[in-house]
Amino acid sequence: MKHSKAIPFALGGLSLATAAVLFAPGVGIIAADHLDPPARTDPAVDSTPDRAADIADVYAWHTDTSVIVAMTFAGPQATDQPATYDPDVLYSINVSNSSPRTTTDIPIRFRFGTGAMDQFGVRVSGLPGVTGAIEGSVETALEKDGVKVWAGLFDDPFFFDLQGFRDTLNTGTLSFDSERDFFAGQNLTAVVIEIPKDRIDTGAPVDVWGATARFGGQL
């Protein structure tokens, strides 16, 4: 199983992170989870990386009426490659809106599968206020009981100098270039969910983190 890291961000902000804290003003940290752990997901280390189970980022932010959560994964990849829909991976977006903040109060789960004519679909369960699950085709706006879901191929929004990061690890000298973006012009797969804010906001900080698990064990 692959878990994300717990990284908070500021009230009303957009997090480039694998986890976030909503409704907690004055807190801000940015981080990512691409190609981590390298021994399983980084093609520079593993000749058969488990791309489908590799979390890229978890983004979470809110408006006056909605909370929007997105999990990105299976990237980065060239723009001429299709999205990644692996039916043997279970994706989890975990939401904690009460104490203790390390327990999951709203467990959102999604999986992919094939239907008629081998078209891919997505099934999202555990959504607050939704009876049953939201199911439908990928690359399609899905909506049920006031919750909206979109699953599909996206431009990778994360900005990061991966070469500078590796050079820094190898040499011990900061080697980042603010104009060098490893993820520019590359894609990934994502699920984006919009939930009415009053179904999540209890007045306490809301923690959001992601995890993946492969059925049948590690590749």
Side-chain angles (χ1 to χ4, degrees):
M1 177 176 288
K2 182 169 187 284
H3 289 279
S4 64
K5 304 176 184 68
I7 309 293
F9 72 100
L11 174 70
L14 173 62
S15 172
L16 304 180
T18 54
V21 179
L22 289 169
F23 319 128
V27 179
I29 300 176
I30 295 176
D33 199 60
H34 292 80
L35 310 179
D36 188 26
R40 286 193 59 193
T41 61
D42 188 344
V45 180
D46 182 357
S47 61
T48 57
D50 190 354
R51 295 182 61 260
D54 181 26
I55 300 171
D57 301 286
V58 173
Y59 300 84
W61 68 100
H62 67 88
T63 68
D64 289 341
T65 59
S66 299
V67 169
I68 302 93
V69 179
M71 178 187 282
T72 64
F73 52 93
Q77 65 180 40
T79 55
D80 61 353
Q81 299 299 305
T84 298
Y85 305 120
D86 190 330
D88 291 327
V89 177
L90 174 66
Y91 300 87
S92 302
I93 297 175
N94 304 290
V95 180
S96 176
N97 61 353
S98 65
S99 183
R101 293 170 59 180
T102 54
T103 59
T104 302
D105 298 306
I106 303 173
I108 301 171
R109 308 287 185 255
F110 62 91
R111 291 184 66 184
F112 297 101
T114 54
M117 301 180 66
D118 293 328
Q119 296 296 310
F120 280 103
V122 64
R123 182 179 192 273
V124 186
S125 61
L127 295 162
V130 174
T131 302
I134 293 181
E135 298 178 321
S137 299
V138 299
E139 300 290 353
T140 304
L142 306 175
E143 184 171 2
K144 181 180 179 182
D145 295 336
V147 174
K148 300 176 182 179
V149 172
W150 183 285
L153 192 65
F154 289 82
D155 176 52
D156 193 330
F158 193 69
F159 186 102
F160 188 66
D161 177 14
L162 183 60
Q163 178 182 331
F165 174 73
R166 287 173 172 162
D167 291 345
T168 300
L169 287 180
N170 290 332
T171 66
T173 300
L174 286 176
S175 305
F176 290 100
D177 183 343
S178 62
E179 297 184 359
R180 185 168 53 198
D181 180 16
F182 173 79
F183 299 99
Q186 301 193 74
N187 285 345
L188 42 59
T189 310
V191 169
V192 183
I193 303 169
E194 182 175 358
I195 303 168
K197 184 180 174 183
D198 59 9
R199 300 184 191 179
I200 293 181
D201 186 8
T202 61
V206 176
D207 296 82
V208 182
W209 66 98
T212 59
R214 175 168 291 282
F215 292 94
Q218 181 173 335
L219 284 176

